């Protein structure tokens, strides 16, 4: 076989990289639908704009958030929870766009999780300097389903720790179009995002948007 037999193969079969047991990085997996995703995000944000939520500890998050789907993740002074209602609009979160469902389902299937049907999609917006400190995702009722995340816009340095907060962290650069499926023994690993470096992305400008798909119940 010659090298040129592989030319173009990456276009249809994205590179996969295993980050840890159960955690698979699909580089560029979302690129073919990038414009559809951005259009869908615009629609969501028109109904439920990005906002900086407060934590139970009284801090305002540097990451701005909104949601779509039948449940959305929210935090306020009383705690973290999934809620069917956007507390700002008083209305249900925007429907999950079909392109979101399809992308999340196909990514999960690539990583070996058939029939992933998330009802919650958290949309995180990072501007330069915004960060997410080390945490576990534990607000879901069961941890059997994976979480699928989609990175768009400026790259982020993703911090990947262990099952204890003090475990040392590895760093991964997540770029525009990268999709990660987090399941199995990776589901409860501590993780975070380092302060976003300034930059200018051709499609998104000075921001990074991350979609996080979850089965909450
Ligand atoms: C690993 N978001 O919303 S996505 C979050 O880039 C969150 O906005 C980050 O962590 C972001 O909770 C990271 C990657 C991610 C999401 C959930 C995970 C990694 C995960 C759950 C378990 C293990
Ligand atoms: Fe998280």
């Amino acid at each position: 076989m010659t090298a040129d037999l592989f030319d173009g193969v990456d276009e249809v079969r994205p590179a996969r990289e295993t980050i840890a047991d159960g955690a698979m990085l699909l580089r560029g997996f979302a690129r073919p639908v990038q414009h559809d995703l951005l259009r869908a995000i615009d629609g969501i944000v028109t109904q439920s704009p990005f906002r900086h939520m407060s934590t139970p500890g009284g801090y305002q998050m540097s990451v701005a958030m909104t949601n779509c789907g039948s449940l959305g993740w929210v935090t306020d002074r009383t705690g973290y929870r999934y809620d069917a209602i956007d507390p700002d609009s008083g209305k249900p979160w925007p429907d999950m766009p079909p392109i979101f469902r399809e992308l999340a389902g196909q990514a999960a299937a690539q990583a070996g999780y058939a029939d992933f049907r998330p009802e919650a999609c958290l949309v995180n917006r990072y501007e330069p300097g915004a960060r997410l400190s080390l945490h576990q995702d534990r607000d879901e009722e069961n941890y059997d389903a994976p979480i699928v995340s989609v990175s768009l816009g400026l790259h982020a340095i993703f911090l990947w720790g262990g099952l204890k907060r003090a475990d040392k962290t590895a760093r991964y650069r997540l770029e525009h179009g990268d999709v990660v499926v987090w399941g199995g023994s990776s589901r409860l690993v501590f993780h975070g995002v380092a302060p976003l470096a300034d930059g200018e992305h051709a499609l998104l400008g000075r921001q990074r948007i991350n979609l996080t798909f979850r089965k909450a119940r």
Side-chain angles (χ1 to χ4, degrees):
M1 278 197 269
T2 59
D4 54 29
L5 275 181
F6 292 110
D7 284 357
V9 167
D10 281 351
E11 307 286 334
V12 289
R13 267 194 258 174
R16 302 175 188 209
E17 184 180 325
T18 299
I19 290 183
D21 185 50
M24 185 169 282
L25 168 55
L26 305 171
R27 282 222 189 81
F29 193 79
R31 274 184 175 266
V33 293
Q34 58 189 355
H35 294 105
D36 310 85
L37 296 175
L38 296 181
R39 211 169 8 249
I41 292 167
D42 280 345
I44 292 163
V45 169
T46 304
Q47 297 175 64
S48 282
F50 284 118
R51 79 291 306 266
H52 294 274
M53 298 183 192
S54 295
T55 66
Y59 293 98
Q60 207 178 48
M61 299 188 75
S62 60
V63 179
M65 299 177 165
T66 186
N67 290 276
C68 65
S70 57
L71 289 172
W73 186 84
V74 293
T75 175
D76 59 21
R77 288 308 301 260
T78 70
Y80 311 111
R81 65 184 178 280
Y82 281 93
D83 204 312
I85 301 297
D86 173 353
D88 282 15
S89 71
K91 293 190 257 186
W93 297 104
D95 288 338
M96 195 180 294
I99 186 68
F100 277 31
R101 290 182 196 288
E102 280 156 28
L103 178 64
Q106 284 182 22
Q110 286 276 320
Y113 299 92
D115 304 318
F116 178 54
R117 288 195 205 86
E119 74 278 78
C121 175
L122 173 65
V123 185
N124 290 334
R125 185 194 66 197
Y126 296 75
E127 292 179 316
R131 62 193 287 275
L132 201 57
S133 57
L134 221 55
H135 67 279
Q136 291 170 298
D137 287 21
R138 316 181 38 145
D139 301 319
E140 299 73 32
E141 274 170 19
N142 85 70
Y143 305 133
D144 297 337
I147 290 179
V148 172
S149 76
V150 178
S151 292
L152 296 168
L154 293 177
H155 83 271
I157 302 299
F158 178 70
L159 309 173
W160 179 246
L163 291 172
K164 289 175 291 189
R165 185 180 293 278
D167 289 345
K168 86 181 228 293
T169 54
R171 283 163 168 70
Y172 288 88
R173 184 179 162 118
L174 295 181
E175 309 244 18
H176 177 74
D178 288 351
V179 177
V180 193
V181 181
W182 316 87
S185 58
S186 288
R187 181 60 184 77
L188 286 173
V189 166
F190 277 92
H191 58 278
V193 177
L196 196 79
D198 201 355
E200 179 73 28
H201 186 271
L203 286 179
L204 280 116
R206 294 180 74 203
Q207 60 178 340
R208 168 179 188 257
I209 291 181
N210 182 268
L211 311 175
T212 308
F213 295 92
R214 300 185 175 86
K215 266 201 76 61
R217 290 189 178 149

